[in-house]
């Protein structure tokens, strides 16, 4: 239980015989606040009490998170969720290895406007759930990753043509700040993220 709501939480849990006397509750709250201050924790949780032979032990947990640790986690989440690559930029050999497709000259203008022409740059997840009939329509050397067109919620990508149809831009509405670009009929593509590192959890209710 969070130290900030400790007194209420102990009161609610007291019905099961796990309560503490008012004096011990006050002492425990003070101790947890001191632990939070002295160890510079962002948050302190009271885990519980272990009854020992000589003394009782009150267990607290600190959840201090370094900024570097948070950044690594956020980067990994964003890459897995919205890193994008155009269809054909990579190819898979019959024996398994994936290579850069040196013959890739970019998507055609008509292909570039379709969400189905772009894949998640990660190990496939949805592809494994396709039926044999669905897989029969795919080119195994090119269609070995998940297509953006099947993303949930539907409508989580914005596709726009810019610069007089010389540039296609995909923007993630699920992870605001992720922008993918591709110049049709060229090898120029890539993505960049500029944002707060927060996922738009309200997106399903906005579409």
């Amino acid at each position: 239980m969070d130290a900030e709501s400790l007194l209420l939480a102990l009161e609610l849990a007291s019905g099961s015989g796990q309560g503490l006397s008012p004096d011990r509750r006050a002492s425990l709250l003070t101790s947890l606040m001191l632990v939070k201050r002295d160890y510079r924790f962002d948050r302190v949780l009271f885990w519980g009490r272990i009854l020992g032979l000589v003394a009782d032990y009150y267990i607290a947990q600190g959840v201090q998170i370094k900024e570097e640790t948070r950044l690594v986690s956020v980067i990994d989440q964003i890459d897995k969720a919205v890193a994008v690559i155009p269809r054909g930029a990579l190819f898979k050999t019959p024996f398994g290895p994936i290579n850069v497709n040196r013959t890739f000259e970019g998507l055609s203008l008509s292909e570039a406007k379709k969400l189905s022409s772009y894949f998640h740059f990660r190990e496939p997840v949805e592809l494994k759930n396709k039926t044999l009939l669905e897989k029969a329509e795919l080119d195994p050397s090119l269609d070995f990753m998940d297509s953006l067109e099947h993303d949930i919620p539907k409508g989580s990508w914005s596709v726009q043509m810019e610069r007089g149809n010389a540039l296609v831009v995909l923007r993630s509405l699920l992870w605001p700040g992720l922008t993918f670009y591709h110049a049709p009929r060229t090898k120029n593509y890539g993505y960049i993220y500029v944002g707060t590192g927060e996922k738009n959890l309200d997106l399903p209710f906005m579409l």
Side-chain angles (χ1 to χ4, degrees):
M1 57 187 71
D2 196 313
E4 301 295 336
S5 57
L6 178 66
L7 297 182
L8 175 60
L10 287 174
E11 180 66 29
L12 295 175
S14 63
S16 59
Q18 306 301 322
L20 299 175
S21 68
D23 289 343
R24 287 198 173 185
R25 292 183 192 181
S27 297
L28 179 59
L29 181 58
T30 300
S31 297
L32 292 177
M33 292 304 176
L34 290 174
V35 167
K36 182 178 180 181
R37 183 198 68 186
D38 294 345
Y39 287 90
R40 298 181 181 179
F41 286 139
D42 297 320
R43 191 179 179 204
V44 174
L45 301 177
F46 175 57
W47 183 83
R49 178 176 61 162
I50 294 180
L51 307 179
L53 296 176
V54 178
D56 294 346
Y57 299 90
Y58 293 82
I59 313 300
Q61 297 174 314
V63 293
Q64 185 180 39
I65 300 177
K66 292 184 178 179
E67 187 71 4
E68 294 85 352
T69 303
R70 188 184 79 87
L71 287 175
V72 170
S73 175
V74 169
I75 291 169
D76 183 60
Q77 289 183 65
I78 293 174
D79 273 343
K80 287 181 178 178
V82 289
V84 180
I85 193 166
R87 182 179 186 272
L90 301 177
F91 75 93
K92 187 174 185 179
T93 68
F95 305 103
I98 298 172
N99 300 300
V100 173
N101 186 357
R102 301 188 183 282
T103 65
F104 178 70
E105 295 295 338
L107 298 172
S108 68
L109 184 59
S110 61
E111 291 174 332
K113 296 178 180 179
K114 301 175 183 177
L115 206 54
S116 59
S117 297
Y118 303 95
F119 295 145
H120 284 283
F121 190 36
R122 66 175 188 215
E123 287 291 322
V125 177
E126 297 301 325
L127 187 63
K128 299 175 183 178
N129 299 325
K130 288 185 178 294
T131 65
L132 292 177
L133 185 60
E134 291 173 322
K135 290 181 178 179
E137 299 177 354
L138 303 177
D139 183 338
S141 65
L142 299 178
D143 303 311
F144 53 90
M145 291 181 286
D146 294 327
S147 170
L148 268 58
E149 69 172 330
H150 302 300
D151 279 12
I152 299 174
K154 193 172 182 63
S156 59
W157 289 96
S158 166
V159 183
Q160 297 177 324
M161 299 302 299
E162 300 181 358
R163 300 186 182 181
N165 287 340
L167 183 70
V168 60
V169 176
L170 276 63
R171 293 184 175 89
S172 173
L173 305 182
L174 188 61
W175 285 93
L178 189 288
T179 300
F180 170 87
Y181 65 89
H182 174 49
R185 296 186 292 270
T186 78
K187 297 181 178 181
N188 297 327
Y189 67 85
Y191 64 90
I192 186 172
Y193 178 85
V194 179
T196 62
E198 296 175 297
K199 187 177 182 180
N200 182 7
L201 298 176
D202 295 327
L203 182 61
F205 307 101
M206 299 167 61
L207 298 175

